Amino acid sequence: ILNVEQSPQSLHVQEGDSTNFTCSFPSSNFYALHWYRWETAKSPEALFVMTLNGDEKKKGRISATLNTKEGYSYLYIKGSQPEDSATYLCASQGGDYKLSFGAGTTVTVRA
Amino acid sequence: GAVVSQHPSWVICKSGTSVKIECRSLDFQATTMFWYRQFPKQSLMLMATSNEGSKATYEQGVEKDKFLINHASLTLSTLTVTSAHPEDSSFYICSASRDLYNEQFFGPGTRLTVL
């Protein structure tokens, strides 16, 4: 199980503002980095899977970047909306199949 | 994406009783299912990996005799917490995958409270 850290633990953002947060993971023996969006009482929903250094993925107003050499990934939310309020989880996948999760960043968008 | 259900969504039981949690893949065949546990303010921690028709592989520190896992079909895995104690109170969540390295689809989780 890998040591994956997310920061900040929580953040509040005004509707319409953009925000970003970080996931750091061990850079050795790296296979893939996963981002999930998890709303209360629902199933975690897969956002992105990234494998290559420099990967950038985008889904609507949400995007993510990956730096495998230094072991970090950023998730960006552009023009935050109340429906973006959720906990965002990252998980690193090493040489085996297992996912090691961070504790998540809880985003609250204020109208 | 694929849909995974989990039942029950929450359960309260007395210390010493056993509790069974079901995880179902509703629209695909899941060769592999995973069980995770999350304590408050901590990350999801993998407990065990189960492959259909074979014994589960447990992570270090997880008692296999306490957390019984059955993956008898390609759409159903069950986790039974035997002789539950208050320290077993936690959030249990499963995921299902078409194979070991494929994308994992998560259920909504089960909140277990042991009195």
Side-chain angles (χ1 to χ4, degrees):
Chain A
I1 300 297
L2 308 171
N3 184 28
V4 178
E5 295 186 356
Q6 290 186 248
S7 67
Q9 184 177 18
S10 64
L11 63 89
H12 291 77
V13 60
Q14 199 67 33
E15 183 177 359
D17 288 350
S18 297
T19 188
N20 65 83
F21 37 93
T22 313
C23 172
S24 62
F25 54 90
S27 55
S28 61
N29 204 26
F30 172 83
Y31 178 74
L33 193 284
H34 302 250
W35 279 102
Y36 292 87
R37 181 173 178 275
W38 194 6
E39 291 183 71
T40 304
K42 295 186 178 180
S43 302
E45 172 198 358
L47 288 174
F48 307 115
V49 180
M50 295 181 288
T51 57
L52 299 176
N53 184 46
D55 259 355
E56 293 188 24
K57 296 263 176 112
K58 187 176 181 182
K59 190 174 186 177
R61 293 179 291 97
I62 301 176
S63 60
T65 60
L66 179 66
N67 183 321
T68 61
K69 293 184 178 180
E70 296 181 43
Y72 64 84
S73 175
Y74 287 116
L75 193 101
Y76 300 87
I77 304 176
K78 184 178 178 182
S80 303
Q81 298 297 309
E83 58 264 31
D84 297 326
S85 296
T87 295
Y88 292 83
L89 301 177
C90 73
S92 181
Q93 190 174 13
D96 62 17
Y97 56 86
K98 301 175 186 178
L99 297 181
S100 296
F101 282 86
T105 294
T106 299
V107 175
T108 304
V109 181
R110 297 178 293 212
Chain B
V3 180
V4 176
S5 70
Q6 214 172 313
H7 179 81
S9 55
W10 59 271
V11 57
I12 301 172
C13 69
K14 292 182 179 180
S15 186
T17 60
S18 294
V19 174
K20 180 184 282 188
I21 302 170
E22 291 187 349
C23 177
R24 292 183 186 273
S25 58
L26 299 184
D27 53 5
F28 71 101
Q29 293 188 326
T31 303
T32 307
M33 288 187 171
F34 303 86
W35 288 95
Y36 296 83
R37 179 169 54 180
Q38 184 185 37
F39 291 107
K41 296 194 182 297
Q42 296 187 24
S43 58
L44 295 177
M45 293 295 292
L46 181 65
M47 297 175 67
T49 304
S50 73
N51 291 297
E52 186 263 339
S54 61
K55 290 184 179 180
T57 302
Y58 290 82
E59 294 302 301
Q60 194 173 7
V62 178
E63 299 175 57
K64 63 179 182 180
D65 294 330
K66 182 167 187 61
F67 298 99
L68 301 179
I69 292 172
N70 187 296
H71 190 168
S73 78
L74 287 172
T75 58
L76 174 65
S77 176
T78 59
L79 168 69
T80 301
V81 184
T82 62
S83 186
H85 288 94
E87 57 266 29
D88 299 323
S89 297
S90 187
F91 186 78
Y92 294 85
I93 189 168
C94 70
S95 70
S97 179
R98 291 180 174 84
D99 62 53
L100 204 55
Y101 282 89
N102 219 314
E103 183 178 2
Q104 293 184 33
F105 299 96
F106 284 83
T110 298
R111 172 78 57 195
L112 170 64
T113 302
V114 185
L115 303 176

